[in-house]
Amino acid sequence: QVQLVESGGGVVQPGGSLRLSCTASGSIFSIHGMGWYRQAPGKERELVATISSGGTKYADSVKSRFAIAGDTAKNTVYLRMDSLKAEDTAVYYCNADIVTHNGQSNDEASYWGQGTQVTVSS
């Protein structure tokens, strides 16, 4: 089994900063990419940022404010969020495309964390 565990959410004032972390654990053969998505109340889940061997990708709404980074040795991805706005309030979910090995073949699947709440409010 594979688990993604997120941490770092909380309540912050507008203009403040937070750093989210997500660590993948379990029977991992390799990780092809990791990323962060968010879902605000009444809205669809949306991409925030992703990172892979091909580079990084950001939603237009967070470019220049958020930075994604990965530590491959720790199977961990981070999301540094600066200049936070009220509209950044959402549950943030970690996602990873992970290859596992079952003894006979490799299986690739997309895994999700349980989500961490980020609230930006004065």
Side-chain angles (χ1 to χ4, degrees), residues 6 25 30 40-41 47 54 57 59 66 70 85 88 92 104 115 118-119:
E6 301 128 332
S25 62
S30 64
L47 179 147
K57 177 180 178 181
F66 290 11
K85 305 174 181 179
D88 295 317
Y92 284 69
Q104 295 181 330
V118 171
T119 301

Coordinates of all heavy atoms in Angstrom, one line a residue, residues 6 25 30 40-41 47 54 57 59 66 70 85 88 92 104 115 118-119:
E6 N 0.0 14.6 4.5 CA 0.2 16.0 4.4 C 0.3 16.7 5.8 O -0.2 16.2 6.8 CB -0.9 16.7 3.6 CG -1.1 16.2 2.3 CD -2.5 15.8 2.0 OE1 -3.2 15.4 3.0 OE2 -3.0 15.9 0.8
S25 N 4.8 7.1 1.5 CA 5.4 6.0 2.1 C 4.7 4.7 1.6 O 3.6 4.8 1.1 CB 5.4 6.1 3.6 OG 4.0 6.1 4.1
S30 N 8.9 3.7 -7.7 CA 9.4 5.0 -8.2 C 8.2 6.0 -8.2 O 7.1 5.6 -8.1 CB 10.0 4.9 -9.6 OG 9.0 4.5 -10.5
A40 N -12.0 24.6 -2.8 CA -12.7 25.5 -1.9 C -14.1 25.1 -1.8 O -14.6 24.4 -2.7 CB -12.6 26.9 -2.5
P41 N -14.8 25.5 -0.8 CA -16.3 25.1 -0.7 C -17.1 25.5 -1.9 O -17.0 26.6 -2.4 CB -16.7 25.9 0.6 CG -15.5 26.1 1.3 CD -14.4 26.3 0.3
L47 N -5.9 22.3 -9.9 CA -4.5 22.1 -9.8 C -3.8 23.4 -9.3 O -4.2 24.5 -9.6 CB -3.9 21.9 -11.2 CG -2.4 21.7 -11.3 CD1 -2.0 20.7 -12.4 CD2 -1.7 23.0 -11.6
G54 N 10.2 16.6 -15.6 CA 10.0 17.5 -16.7 C 10.0 19.0 -16.3 O 10.0 19.9 -17.1
K57 N 5.0 23.1 -12.8 CA 3.8 23.8 -13.4 C 3.0 24.4 -12.4 O 2.8 23.8 -11.3 CB 3.0 22.7 -14.2 CG 1.8 23.2 -14.9 CD 1.0 22.1 -15.6 CE -0.3 22.5 -16.2 NZ -1.0 21.4 -16.9
A59 N -0.6 26.9 -11.4 CA -1.8 27.6 -11.8 C -1.5 29.1 -11.9 O -0.7 29.6 -11.2 CB -2.9 27.4 -10.8
F66 N 3.6 31.1 -5.0 CA 3.8 29.8 -4.5 C 5.0 29.2 -5.2 O 5.4 29.5 -6.3 CB 2.6 28.9 -4.8 CG 1.3 29.2 -4.0 CD1 1.2 30.4 -3.3 CD2 0.3 28.4 -4.0 CE1 0.1 30.7 -2.6 CE2 -0.9 28.7 -3.3 CZ -1.0 29.8 -2.6
G70 N 10.8 19.5 -4.4 CA 10.7 18.0 -4.0 C 12.0 17.6 -3.5 O 13.1 18.1 -3.8
K85 N -3.8 35.1 0.0 CA -5.0 35.9 -0.1 C -6.2 35.1 0.4 O -6.1 33.8 0.5 CB -5.2 36.2 -1.6 CG -4.1 36.9 -2.3 CD -4.3 37.0 -3.8 CE -3.2 37.7 -4.5 NZ -3.4 37.8 -5.9
D88 N -7.2 32.0 -1.5 CA -6.4 30.8 -1.4 C -7.0 29.8 -0.3 O -6.5 28.7 -0.2 CB -5.0 31.1 -1.0 CG -4.3 32.0 -2.1 OD1 -4.4 31.6 -3.3 OD2 -3.5 32.9 -1.7
Y92 N -6.2 21.7 0.8 CA -5.1 21.4 -0.1 C -4.8 19.9 -0.1 O -4.6 19.3 1.0 CB -3.9 22.2 0.2 CG -4.0 23.6 -0.2 CD1 -4.9 24.5 0.4 CD2 -3.2 24.1 -1.3 CE1 -5.1 25.8 0.0 CE2 -3.4 25.5 -1.7 CZ -4.3 26.3 -1.0 OH -4.4 27.6 -1.4
Q104 N 5.7 -9.3 -9.7 CA 5.7 -9.8 -11.1 C 5.7 -8.6 -12.1 O 6.2 -8.8 -13.2 CB 4.5 -10.7 -11.3 CG 4.5 -11.9 -10.5 CD 3.3 -12.8 -10.7 OE1 2.2 -12.3 -11.0 NE2 3.4 -14.1 -10.6
G115 N -5.8 15.5 2.7 CA -6.1 17.0 2.6 C -5.7 17.7 3.9 O -5.8 17.2 5.0
V118 N -6.3 25.1 4.6 CA -5.6 26.3 4.7 C -6.7 27.4 4.7 O -7.5 27.5 3.8 CB -4.7 26.5 3.4 CG1 -4.1 27.9 3.4 CG2 -3.5 25.5 3.5
T119 N -6.6 28.2 5.7 CA -7.6 29.3 5.9 C -6.8 30.7 6.0 O -6.0 30.8 6.8 CB -8.5 29.1 7.1 OG1 -9.1 27.9 7.0 CG2 -9.5 30.3 7.3

